[in-house]
PDB file of all heavy atoms in Angstrom:
ATOM      1  N   TRP A  19     -16.239  16.969  30.265  1.00 91.00           N
ATOM      2  CA  TRP A  19     -14.823  17.358  30.254  1.00 91.00           C
ATOM      3  C   TRP A  19     -14.548  18.530  31.171  1.00 91.00           C
ATOM      4  O   TRP A  19     -13.476  18.619  31.792  1.00 91.00           O
ATOM      5  CB  TRP A  19     -14.374  17.652  28.821  1.00 91.00           C
ATOM      6  CG  TRP A  19     -14.393  16.431  27.954  1.00 91.00           C
ATOM      7  CD1 TRP A  19     -15.175  16.213  26.861  1.00 91.00           C
ATOM      8  CD2 TRP A  19     -13.622  15.241  28.136  1.00 91.00           C
ATOM      9  NE1 TRP A  19     -14.942  14.967  26.336  1.00 91.00           N
ATOM     10  CE2 TRP A  19     -13.988  14.339  27.100  1.00 91.00           C
ATOM     11  CE3 TRP A  19     -12.658  14.842  29.064  1.00 91.00           C
ATOM     12  CZ2 TRP A  19     -13.417  13.075  26.974  1.00 91.00           C
ATOM     13  CZ3 TRP A  19     -12.096  13.578  28.944  1.00 91.00           C
ATOM     14  CH2 TRP A  19     -12.474  12.718  27.905  1.00 91.00           C
ATOM     15  N   SER A  20     -15.498  19.435  31.295  1.00 92.00           N
ATOM     16  CA  SER A  20     -15.327  20.571  32.204  1.00 92.00           C
ATOM     17  C   SER A  20     -15.212  20.097  33.651  1.00 92.00           C
ATOM     18  O   SER A  20     -14.394  20.606  34.430  1.00 92.00           O
ATOM     19  CB  SER A  20     -16.499  21.540  32.052  1.00 92.00           C
ATOM     20  OG  SER A  20     -16.357  22.634  32.934  1.00 92.00           O
ATOM     21  N   SER A  21     -16.030  19.087  34.008  1.00 93.00           N
ATOM     22  CA  SER A  21     -15.991  18.578  35.379  1.00 93.00           C
ATOM     23  C   SER A  21     -14.687  17.842  35.651  1.00 93.00           C
ATOM     24  O   SER A  21     -14.138  17.910  36.760  1.00 93.00           O
ATOM     25  CB  SER A  21     -17.198  17.678  35.649  1.00 93.00           C
ATOM     26  OG  SER A  21     -17.191  16.548  34.797  1.00 93.00           O
ATOM     27  N   TRP A  22     -14.170  17.137  34.633  1.00 93.00           N
ATOM     28  CA  TRP A  22     -12.870  16.483  34.805  1.00 93.00           C
ATOM     29  C   TRP A  22     -11.756  17.521  34.961  1.00 93.00           C
ATOM     30  O   TRP A  22     -10.842  17.354  35.786  1.00 93.00           O
ATOM     31  CB  TRP A  22     -12.561  15.580  33.610  1.00 93.00           C
ATOM     32  CG  TRP A  22     -13.068  14.184  33.736  1.00 93.00           C
ATOM     33  CD1 TRP A  22     -14.022  13.569  32.984  1.00 93.00           C
ATOM     34  CD2 TRP A  22     -12.636  13.197  34.695  1.00 93.00           C
ATOM     35  NE1 TRP A  22     -14.225  12.279  33.401  1.00 93.00           N
ATOM     36  CE2 TRP A  22     -13.381  12.019  34.447  1.00 93.00           C
ATOM     37  CE3 TRP A  22     -11.706  13.199  35.731  1.00 93.00           C
ATOM     38  CZ2 TRP A  22     -13.223  10.852  35.200  1.00 93.00           C
ATOM     39  CZ3 TRP A  22     -11.541  12.038  36.488  1.00 93.00           C
ATOM     40  CH2 TRP A  22     -12.288  10.885  36.216  1.00 93.00           C
ATOM     41  N   ALA A  23     -11.819  18.598  34.179  1.00 93.00           N
ATOM     42  CA  ALA A  23     -10.808  19.652  34.295  1.00 93.00           C
ATOM     43  C   ALA A  23     -10.829  20.255  35.691  1.00 93.00           C
ATOM     44  O   ALA A  23      -9.770  20.490  36.309  1.00 93.00           O
ATOM     45  CB  ALA A  23     -11.057  20.732  33.241  1.00 93.00           C
ATOM     46  N   ASP A  24     -12.018  20.488  36.201  1.00 93.00           N
ATOM     47  CA  ASP A  24     -12.150  21.043  37.547  1.00 93.00           C
ATOM     48  C   ASP A  24     -11.576  20.087  38.590  1.00 93.00           C
ATOM     49  O   ASP A  24     -10.883  20.493  39.528  1.00 93.00           O
ATOM     50  CB  ASP A  24     -13.624  21.330  37.828  1.00 93.00           C
ATOM     51  CG  ASP A  24     -13.840  21.978  39.182  1.00 93.00           C
ATOM     52  OD1 ASP A  24     -13.248  23.042  39.421  1.00 93.00           O
ATOM     53  OD2 ASP A  24     -14.585  21.413  40.007  1.00 93.00           O
ATOM     54  N   TRP A  25     -11.847  18.799  38.427  1.00 94.00           N
ATOM     55  CA  TRP A  25     -11.351  17.792  39.369  1.00 94.00           C
ATOM     56  C   TRP A  25      -9.822  17.725  39.365  1.00 94.00           C
ATOM     57  O   TRP A  25      -9.190  17.571  40.416  1.00 94.00           O
ATOM     58  CB  TRP A  25     -11.945  16.436  39.017  1.00 94.00           C
ATOM     59  CG  TRP A  25     -11.475  15.299  39.879  1.00 94.00           C
ATOM     60  CD1 TRP A  25     -10.586  14.316  39.544  1.00 94.00           C
ATOM     61  CD2 TRP A  25     -11.873  15.026  41.233  1.00 94.00           C
ATOM     62  NE1 TRP A  25     -10.408  13.443  40.588  1.00 94.00           N
ATOM     63  CE2 TRP A  25     -11.196  13.860  41.650  1.00 94.00           C
ATOM     64  CE3 TRP A  25     -12.753  15.654  42.124  1.00 94.00           C
ATOM     65  CZ2 TRP A  25     -11.352  13.306  42.911  1.00 94.00           C
ATOM     66  CZ3 TRP A  25     -12.916  15.084  43.388  1.00 94.00           C
ATOM     67  CH2 TRP A  25     -12.222  13.941  43.768  1.00 94.00           C
ATOM     68  N   LEU A  26      -9.240  17.865  38.179  1.00 95.00           N
ATOM     69  CA  LEU A  26      -7.785  17.777  38.047  1.00 95.00           C
ATOM     70  C   LEU A  26      -7.083  19.109  38.278  1.00 95.00           C
ATOM     71  O   LEU A  26      -5.848  19.163  38.315  1.00 95.00           O
ATOM     72  CB  LEU A  26      -7.414  17.243  36.657  1.00 95.00           C
ATOM     73  CG  LEU A  26      -7.873  15.815  36.356  1.00 95.00           C
ATOM     74  CD1 LEU A  26      -7.560  15.454  34.907  1.00 95.00           C
ATOM     75  CD2 LEU A  26      -7.224  14.823  37.321  1.00 95.00           C
ATOM     76  N   GLY A  27      -7.863  20.168  38.396  1.00 95.00           N
ATOM     77  CA  GLY A  27      -7.277  21.477  38.680  1.00 95.00           C
ATOM     78  C   GLY A  27      -6.581  22.118  37.498  1.00 95.00           C
ATOM     79  O   GLY A  27      -5.568  22.808  37.657  1.00 95.00           O
ATOM     80  N   VAL A  28      -7.122  21.900  36.285  1.00 96.00           N
ATOM     81  CA  VAL A  28      -6.548  22.519  35.090  1.00 96.00           C
ATOM     82  C   VAL A  28      -7.637  23.313  34.377  1.00 96.00           C
ATOM     83  O   VAL A  28      -8.834  23.040  34.552  1.00 96.00           O
ATOM     84  CB  VAL A  28      -5.960  21.458  34.132  1.00 96.00           C
ATOM     85  CG1 VAL A  28      -4.861  20.667  34.824  1.00 96.00           C
ATOM     86  CG2 VAL A  28      -7.043  20.533  33.595  1.00 96.00           C
ATOM     87  N   PRO A  29      -7.266  24.309  33.562  1.00 96.00           N
ATOM     88  CA  PRO A  29      -8.276  25.051  32.805  1.00 96.00           C
ATOM     89  C   PRO A  29      -9.011  24.133  31.830  1.00 96.00           C
ATOM     90  O   PRO A  29      -8.386  23.241  31.232  1.00 96.00           O
ATOM     91  CB  PRO A  29      -7.440  26.095  32.048  1.00 96.00           C
ATOM     92  CG  PRO A  29      -6.175  26.223  32.815  1.00 96.00           C
ATOM     93  CD  PRO A  29      -5.910  24.848  33.366  1.00 96.00           C
ATOM     94  N   PRO A  30     -10.300  24.307  31.660  1.00 94.00           N
ATOM     95  CA  PRO A  30     -11.049  23.482  30.709  1.00 94.00           C
ATOM     96  C   PRO A  30     -10.444  23.488  29.308  1.00 94.00           C
ATOM     97  O   PRO A  30     -10.452  22.468  28.615  1.00 94.00           O
ATOM     98  CB  PRO A  30     -12.449  24.106  30.717  1.00 94.00           C
ATOM     99  CG  PRO A  30     -12.565  24.703  32.087  1.00 94.00           C
ATOM    100  CD  PRO A  30     -11.191  25.236  32.401  1.00 94.00           C
ATOM    101  N   HIS A  31      -9.909  24.649  28.905  1.00 95.00           N
ATOM    102  CA  HIS A  31      -9.320  24.736  27.569  1.00 95.00           C
ATOM    103  C   HIS A  31      -8.143  23.774  27.421  1.00 95.00           C
ATOM    104  O   HIS A  31      -7.956  23.177  26.350  1.00 95.00           O
ATOM    105  CB  HIS A  31      -8.846  26.161  27.283  1.00 95.00           C
ATOM    106  CG  HIS A  31      -8.072  26.285  26.004  1.00 95.00           C
ATOM    107  ND1 HIS A  31      -8.660  26.178  24.766  1.00 95.00           N
ATOM    108  CD2 HIS A  31      -6.740  26.465  25.788  1.00 95.00           C
ATOM    109  CE1 HIS A  31      -7.733  26.301  23.838  1.00 95.00           C
ATOM    110  NE2 HIS A  31      -6.560  26.471  24.424  1.00 95.00           N
ATOM    111  N   THR A  32      -7.363  23.625  28.466  1.00 96.00           N
ATOM    112  CA  THR A  32      -6.209  22.720  28.400  1.00 96.00           C
ATOM    113  C   THR A  32      -6.660  21.290  28.142  1.00 96.00           C
ATOM    114  O   THR A  32      -6.128  20.598  27.264  1.00 96.00           O
ATOM    115  CB  THR A  32      -5.408  22.778  29.709  1.00 96.00           C
ATOM    116  OG1 THR A  32      -4.908  24.106  29.887  1.00 96.00           O
ATOM    117  CG2 THR A  32      -4.243  21.798  29.694  1.00 96.00           C
ATOM    118  N   LEU A  33      -7.658  20.842  28.893  1.00 94.00           N
ATOM    119  CA  LEU A  33      -8.141  19.479  28.715  1.00 94.00           C
ATOM    120  C   LEU A  33      -8.815  19.314  27.361  1.00 94.00           C
ATOM    121  O   LEU A  33      -8.622  18.294  26.683  1.00 94.00           O
ATOM    122  CB  LEU A  33      -9.102  19.104  29.840  1.00 94.00           C
ATOM    123  CG  LEU A  33      -9.642  17.663  29.805  1.00 94.00           C
ATOM    124  CD1 LEU A  33      -8.507  16.643  29.708  1.00 94.00           C
ATOM    125  CD2 LEU A  33     -10.504  17.385  31.035  1.00 94.00           C
ATOM    126  N   SER A  34      -9.579  20.311  26.931  1.00 94.00           N
ATOM    127  CA  SER A  34     -10.243  20.219  25.626  1.00 94.00           C
ATOM    128  C   SER A  34      -9.219  20.077  24.504  1.00 94.00           C
ATOM    129  O   SER A  34      -9.417  19.298  23.562  1.00 94.00           O
ATOM    130  CB  SER A  34     -11.101  21.462  25.380  1.00 94.00           C
ATOM    131  OG  SER A  34     -12.194  21.513  26.271  1.00 94.00           O
ATOM    132  N   ALA A  35      -8.125  20.821  24.608  1.00 96.00           N
ATOM    133  CA  ALA A  35      -7.084  20.744  23.583  1.00 96.00           C
ATOM    134  C   ALA A  35      -6.458  19.354  23.555  1.00 96.00           C
ATOM    135  O   ALA A  35      -6.179  18.800  22.490  1.00 96.00           O
ATOM    136  CB  ALA A  35      -6.019  21.806  23.836  1.00 96.00           C
ATOM    137  N   LEU A  36      -6.244  18.784  24.734  1.00 96.00           N
ATOM    138  CA  LEU A  36      -5.654  17.445  24.801  1.00 96.00           C
ATOM    139  C   LEU A  36      -6.623  16.385  24.293  1.00 96.00           C
ATOM    140  O   LEU A  36      -6.206  15.402  23.668  1.00 96.00           O
ATOM    141  CB  LEU A  36      -5.222  17.137  26.229  1.00 96.00           C
ATOM    142  CG  LEU A  36      -4.040  17.970  26.746  1.00 96.00           C
ATOM    143  CD1 LEU A  36      -3.821  17.729  28.237  1.00 96.00           C
ATOM    144  CD2 LEU A  36      -2.774  17.647  25.956  1.00 96.00           C
ATOM    145  N   VAL A  37      -7.920  16.567  24.538  1.00 94.00           N
ATOM    146  CA  VAL A  37      -8.924  15.658  23.982  1.00 94.00           C
ATOM    147  C   VAL A  37      -8.872  15.719  22.462  1.00 94.00           C
ATOM    148  O   VAL A  37      -8.887  14.685  21.770  1.00 94.00           O
ATOM    149  CB  VAL A  37     -10.336  16.016  24.490  1.00 94.00           C
ATOM    150  CG1 VAL A  37     -11.397  15.260  23.693  1.00 94.00           C
ATOM    151  CG2 VAL A  37     -10.466  15.686  25.968  1.00 94.00           C
ATOM    152  N   GLY A  38      -8.782  16.931  21.924  1.00 94.00           N
ATOM    153  CA  GLY A  38      -8.694  17.096  20.482  1.00 94.00           C
ATOM    154  C   GLY A  38      -7.479  16.396  19.895  1.00 94.00           C
ATOM    155  O   GLY A  38      -7.552  15.766  18.835  1.00 94.00           O
ATOM    156  N   ALA A  39      -6.362  16.503  20.591  1.00 95.00           N
ATOM    157  CA  ALA A  39      -5.141  15.843  20.118  1.00 95.00           C
ATOM    158  C   ALA A  39      -5.309  14.326  20.109  1.00 95.00           C
ATOM    159  O   ALA A  39      -4.886  13.648  19.167  1.00 95.00           O
ATOM    160  CB  ALA A  39      -3.962  16.244  21.001  1.00 95.00           C
ATOM    161  N   ALA A  40      -5.941  13.789  21.150  1.00 93.00           N
ATOM    162  CA  ALA A  40      -6.172  12.339  21.214  1.00 93.00           C
ATOM    163  C   ALA A  40      -7.080  11.886  20.078  1.00 93.00           C
ATOM    164  O   ALA A  40      -6.834  10.862  19.432  1.00 93.00           O
ATOM    165  CB  ALA A  40      -6.771  11.965  22.565  1.00 93.00           C
ATOM    166  N   VAL A  41      -8.127  12.651  19.813  1.00 93.00           N
ATOM    167  CA  VAL A  41      -9.063  12.316  18.746  1.00 93.00           C
ATOM    168  C   VAL A  41      -8.359  12.327  17.391  1.00 93.00           C
ATOM    169  O   VAL A  41      -8.529  11.418  16.572  1.00 93.00           O
ATOM    170  CB  VAL A  41     -10.246  13.315  18.742  1.00 93.00           C
ATOM    171  CG1 VAL A  41     -11.085  13.152  17.475  1.00 93.00           C
ATOM    172  CG2 VAL A  41     -11.115  13.121  19.979  1.00 93.00           C
ATOM    173  N   ALA A  42      -7.552  13.360  17.151  1.00 93.00           N
ATOM    174  CA  ALA A  42      -6.864  13.491  15.866  1.00 93.00           C
ATOM    175  C   ALA A  42      -5.878  12.354  15.628  1.00 93.00           C
ATOM    176  O   ALA A  42      -5.604  11.983  14.484  1.00 93.00           O
ATOM    177  CB  ALA A  42      -6.142  14.830  15.798  1.00 93.00           C
TER     178      ALA A  42
END
Side-chain angles (χ1 to χ4, degrees):
W19 294 116
S20 179
S21 62
W22 271 115
D24 183 57
W25 178 255
L26 296 175
V28 300
H31 172 71
T32 298
L33 182 53
S34 293
L36 292 172
V37 168
V41 169

